[in-house]
């Protein structure tokens, strides 16, 4: 009975898919798009998707008159550039050294919050950071009828032979202090008794190392097949895939801020410093024990982290994937920060994985990434990990401080007010009046609209 029901649903599903396919207007599918010029691509998009021709100007006005060739090489099918604000949060003191931190982000108040926290903590010893570990991992998955025990026995030989087989790739990395650090054979028994992963540990010095790791792994895959075939021709080895892992729990950085509780007054709002510290502690505990809150708490950390990752030309998708997987490492997603309060002392720590590079990738070829690194004093990847952890900490500290005092909207909506005024083309005079008025009125899109309408003394809709 159940199987005939399943069959019924399955056939129904196939029918739906076929019907949907028959409705796809294949004659309008875009052919050879990648081979067209920028101008042709734009025309095709406007024609095919019936967009107003004025939008051509939107795309064209965002092309760069000198650097477009540079931007074109970063990606494919480029028809324009997507700008983000590039701001700087000054006055960060990290391990006694001063930094102005570049941040590429579209969310209002992130740069302001980072700058405010940086200035505040600069008077209290700044951010204390350390790199805990810097190892990245790559995975060589293969299928084989070799038994796990047999392979394990051969591992010392396999290990040496694989490393010797790629010395031409690892030589220059070794000169920079990197290379292959270790490897382990892991059976993937959840699938079957023929699936394996050779987990390879890399130190990649100042590069993020994705290309280096992937090139090494692919070559190791070929060698592994040859090595095992030489040992026993009757057994099969097939490489499934070779790729770095963006899970980087061995590439960790820690950032701590600490001060006497009585020094927290500037953030305490209507509370005493002691009350503020206790409310802050409660917020951290909520994020530790409640997953929906932990996600938002960590998002506030990533506001700062991603903005600097972007500004320095690093891969924010890799960082995001790795950080959130780490936050869920116990099987329950939790927060990345810990707090300790004594009667006197507030100590707050952020620990997170950050696999970053200051050479390779976009870091030198994107003009603004290049500038960001220069502004930061051309840091090593180790130093950049510590700078970025501090930016994450600064944003999280400001967010939690606001949440447990005035609430987040007061600050947010003031920034949001600028954006709303912009959409209504408010004049400088109107802006000044609006900022004054909304000092003690709640900001909302409709409230701003109403305010401007009354200012303009007109019945016309804005
Ligand atoms: C908003 O971008 C970030 C916050 O939601 C972070 C938090 O709730 O901790 C304010």
């Amino acid at each position: 009975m159940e199987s005939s029901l399943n069959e019924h649903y399955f056939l129904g599903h196939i029918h739906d898919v076929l019907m949907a396919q028959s409705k796809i207007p294949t004659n309008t599918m875009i052919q050879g798009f990648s081979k067209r010029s920028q101008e042709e691509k734009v025309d095709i998009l406007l024609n095919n998707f019936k967009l107003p021709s004025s939008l051509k100007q939107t795309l064209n006005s965002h092309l760069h008159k000198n650097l477009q060739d540079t931007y074109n090489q970063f990606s494919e099918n480029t028809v324009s550039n997507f700008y983000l604000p590039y701001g700087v949060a000054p006055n960060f003191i990290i391990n006694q050294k001063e930094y102005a931190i570049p941040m590429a982000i579209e969310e209002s108040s992130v740069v302001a919050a980072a700058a405010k926290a940086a200035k505040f903590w600069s008077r209290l010893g700044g951010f204390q950071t350390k790199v805990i570990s810097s190892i990245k991992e790559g995975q060589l998955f293969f299928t084989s009828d070799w038994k796990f025990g047999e392979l394990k026995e051969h591992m010392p030989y396999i290990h040496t032979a694989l490393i010797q087989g790629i010395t031409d790739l690892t030589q220059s990395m070794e000169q920079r202090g990197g290379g292959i650090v270790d490897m382990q054979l892991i059976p993937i028994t959840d699938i079957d008794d023929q699936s394996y992963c050779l987990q390879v540990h890399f130190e990649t010095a100042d590069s993020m190392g994705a290309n280096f790791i992937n090139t090494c792994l692919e070559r190791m895959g070929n060698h592994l097949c040859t090595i095992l075939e030489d040992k026993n021709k009757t057994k099969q080895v097939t490489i499934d895939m070779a790729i770095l892992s963006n899970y980087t729990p061995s590439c960790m950085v820690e950032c701590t801020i600490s001060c006497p509780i009585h020094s927290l007054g500037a953030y305490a709002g209507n509370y005493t410093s002691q009350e503020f510290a206790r409310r802050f502690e409660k917020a951290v505990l909520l994020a530790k024990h409640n997953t929906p809150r932990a996600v938002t708490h960590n998002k506030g950390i990533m506001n700062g982290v991603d903005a600097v990752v972007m500004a320095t030309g690093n891969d924010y998708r890799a960082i995001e994937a790795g950080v959130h997987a780490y936050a869920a490492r116990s099987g329950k997603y939790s927060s990345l920060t810990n707090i300790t309060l004594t009667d006197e002392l507030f100590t707050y720590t952020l620990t997170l994985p950050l696999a970053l590079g200051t050479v390779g990738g976009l870091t030198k070829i994107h003009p603004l990434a290049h500038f960001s690194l220069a502004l930061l004093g051309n840091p090593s990847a180790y130093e950049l990990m510590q700078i970025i952890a501090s930016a994450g900490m600064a944003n999280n500290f400001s967010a939690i401080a606001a949440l447990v005092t005035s609430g987040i909207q007061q600050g947010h909506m003031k920034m949001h007010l600028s954006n709303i005024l912009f959409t209504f083309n408010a004049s400088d005079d109107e802006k000044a009046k609006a900022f004054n008025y909304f000092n003690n009125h709640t900001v909302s899109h409709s409230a701003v609209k109403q305010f401007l309408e009354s200012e303009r003394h007109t019945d016309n809709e804005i």
Side-chain angles (χ1 to χ4, degrees), residues 107 293 296-297 299-300 303 399-400 403 408:
E107 185 175 330
R293 176 57 207 148
T296 323
H297 180 93
K299 190 274 183 183
N303 276 344
I400 304 304
L403 285 168
I408 206 75

Side-chain angles (χ1 to χ4, degrees), residues 4-310:
S4 89
L5 254 184
N6 281 344
E7 208 167 293
H8 176 76
Y9 283 122
F10 179 67
L11 289 175
H13 176 67
I14 297 264
H15 175 259
D16 289 350
V17 170
L18 291 175
M19 284 304 287
Q21 275 179 0
S22 71
K23 285 184 193 148
I24 295 174
T26 46
N27 55 338
T28 61
M29 295 286 276
I30 301 172
Q31 306 295 337
F33 189 67
S34 65
K35 299 194 180 66
R36 306 301 177 94
S37 68
Q38 182 268 351
E39 210 177 335
E40 288 169 339
K41 285 190 181 86
V42 173
D43 287 338
I44 290 171
L45 295 176
L46 295 183
N47 285 336
N48 281 31
F49 295 97
K50 308 206 178 352
L51 302 174
S53 58
S54 59
L55 288 183
K56 187 171 187 163
Q57 179 51 18
T58 306
L59 291 178
N60 289 346
S61 64
H62 287 78
L63 289 170
H64 197 288
K65 63 180 188 307
N66 305 323
L67 293 172
Q68 198 53 47
D69 285 346
T70 306
Y71 290 119
N72 286 350
Q73 33 156 344
F74 299 157
S75 184
E76 304 80 34
N77 289 351
T78 304
V79 293
S80 190
N81 303 303
F82 189 100
Y83 291 118
L84 284 181
Y86 178 88
V88 173
N91 300 319
F92 268 85
I93 303 291
I94 304 170
N95 297 341
Q96 280 80 52
K97 187 171 165 188
E98 183 182 341
Y99 296 89
I101 299 189
M103 303 179 94
I105 189 157
E106 85 298 347
E107 185 175 330
S108 52
S109 67
V110 168
V111 178
K116 185 177 171 196
K119 193 164 177 192
F120 175 77
W121 283 101
S122 70
R123 301 190 192 108
L124 294 166
F127 299 79
Q128 306 301 323
T129 60
K130 65 171 188 246
V131 171
I132 299 168
S133 53
S134 60
I135 302 300
K136 289 139 195 171
E137 284 167 21
Q139 299 184 293
L140 180 57
F141 291 100
F142 63 97
T143 305
S144 176
D145 48 5
W146 279 85
K147 295 267 173 290
F148 178 59
E150 296 166 339
L151 284 175
K152 206 130 175 94
E153 233 168 71
H154 291 303
M155 263 318 281
Y157 171 76
I158 292 172
H159 184 136
T160 311
L162 286 180
I163 287 184
Q164 278 170 357
I166 57 165
T167 46
D168 59 316
L169 296 177
T170 51
Q171 220 163 36
S172 82
M173 183 56 87
E174 277 165 13
Q175 278 157 13
R176 291 188 275 134
I180 293 179
V181 178
D182 198 7
M183 64 181 83
Q184 290 158 290
L185 182 70
I186 300 167
I188 315 284
T189 49
D190 286 343
I191 299 181
D192 54 33
D193 60 0
Q194 301 205 330
S195 297
Y196 296 101
C197 175
L198 189 66
Q199 190 105 346
V200 187
H201 302 225
F202 294 85
E203 171 59 70
T204 58
D206 282 337
S207 66
M208 191 266 192
N211 280 330
F212 170 70
I213 293 175
N214 292 338
T215 310
C216 288
L217 288 172
E218 287 188 5
R219 186 89 84 68
M220 288 164 88
N222 295 337
H223 287 316
L224 183 68
C225 292
T226 316
I227 293 166
L228 291 175
E229 203 179 288
D230 284 351
K231 287 215 169 287
N232 186 338
K233 290 204 172 6
T234 66
K235 291 194 188 274
Q236 303 292 314
V237 181
T238 315
I239 301 299
D240 296 318
M241 67 171 99
I243 187 75
L244 94 165
S245 172
N246 291 123
Y247 186 49
T248 57
S250 301
C251 190
M252 300 291 301
V253 59
E254 188 180 280
C255 174
T256 300
I257 44 179
S258 184
C259 72
I261 289 176
H262 65 76
S263 304
L264 292 168
Y267 271 93
N270 293 332
Y271 296 95
T272 66
S273 297
Q274 271 293 346
E275 285 166 343
F276 169 76
R278 293 290 159 200
R279 289 178 65 76
F280 198 106
E281 181 189 38
K282 177 74 186 282
V284 177
L285 289 176
L286 287 171
K288 197 177 185 66
H289 296 290
N290 178 270
T291 292
R293 176 57 207 148
V295 174
T296 323
H297 180 93
N298 290 346
K299 190 274 183 183
I301 296 168
M302 300 314 284
N303 276 344
V305 168
D306 282 341
V308 195
V309 168
M310 286 276 277

Side-chain angles (χ1 to χ4, degrees), residues 220-454:
M220 288 164 88
N222 295 337
H223 287 316
L224 183 68
C225 292
T226 316
I227 293 166
L228 291 175
E229 203 179 288
D230 284 351
K231 287 215 169 287
N232 186 338
K233 290 204 172 6
T234 66
K235 291 194 188 274
Q236 303 292 314
V237 181
T238 315
I239 301 299
D240 296 318
M241 67 171 99
I243 187 75
L244 94 165
S245 172
N246 291 123
Y247 186 49
T248 57
S250 301
C251 190
M252 300 291 301
V253 59
E254 188 180 280
C255 174
T256 300
I257 44 179
S258 184
C259 72
I261 289 176
H262 65 76
S263 304
L264 292 168
Y267 271 93
N270 293 332
Y271 296 95
T272 66
S273 297
Q274 271 293 346
E275 285 166 343
F276 169 76
R278 293 290 159 200
R279 289 178 65 76
F280 198 106
E281 181 189 38
K282 177 74 186 282
V284 177
L285 289 176
L286 287 171
K288 197 177 185 66
H289 296 290
N290 178 270
T291 292
R293 176 57 207 148
V295 174
T296 323
H297 180 93
N298 290 346
K299 190 274 183 183
I301 296 168
M302 300 314 284
N303 276 344
V305 168
D306 282 341
V308 195
V309 168
M310 286 276 277
T312 55
N314 274 280
D315 180 345
Y316 60 90
R317 287 87 56 209
I319 297 295
E320 282 282 335
V323 164
H324 296 297
Y326 177 78
R329 68 196 176 285
S330 71
K332 176 176 156 64
Y333 189 98
S334 183
S335 60
L336 299 164
T337 57
N338 275 301
I339 189 164
T340 316
L341 287 189
T342 63
D343 286 347
E344 303 288 325
L345 207 63
F346 170 94
T347 304
Y348 192 42
T349 302
L350 165 65
T351 312
L352 78 172
L354 286 177
L356 299 166
T358 54
V359 298
L362 273 197
T363 55
K364 290 288 183 292
I365 54 177
H366 192 295
L368 284 176
H370 185 72
F371 174 82
S372 297
L373 290 169
L375 179 65
L376 294 171
N378 292 314
S380 65
Y382 270 42
E383 195 178 345
L384 187 61
M385 285 167 80
Q386 298 174 76
I387 294 167
I388 292 183
S390 304
M393 172 58 106
N395 274 101
N396 171 260
F397 176 78
S398 279
I400 304 304
L403 285 168
V404 301
T405 54
S406 59
I408 206 75
Q409 282 311 85
Q410 201 181 74
H412 260 206
M413 291 316 275
K414 289 281 140 59
M415 304 295 261
H416 193 44
L417 176 59
S418 304
N419 293 344
I420 302 175
L421 289 168
F422 180 79
T423 63
F424 287 128
N425 286 324
S427 67
D428 286 348
D429 185 44
E430 285 169 338
K431 280 183 197 162
K433 286 182 178 152
F435 276 112
N436 193 25
Y437 175 82
F438 284 104
N439 237 337
N440 45 23
H441 289 85
T442 305
V443 177
S444 74
H445 198 268
S446 56
V448 175
K449 186 173 182 236
Q450 228 170 40
F451 174 82
L452 286 175
E453 276 172 356
S454 73

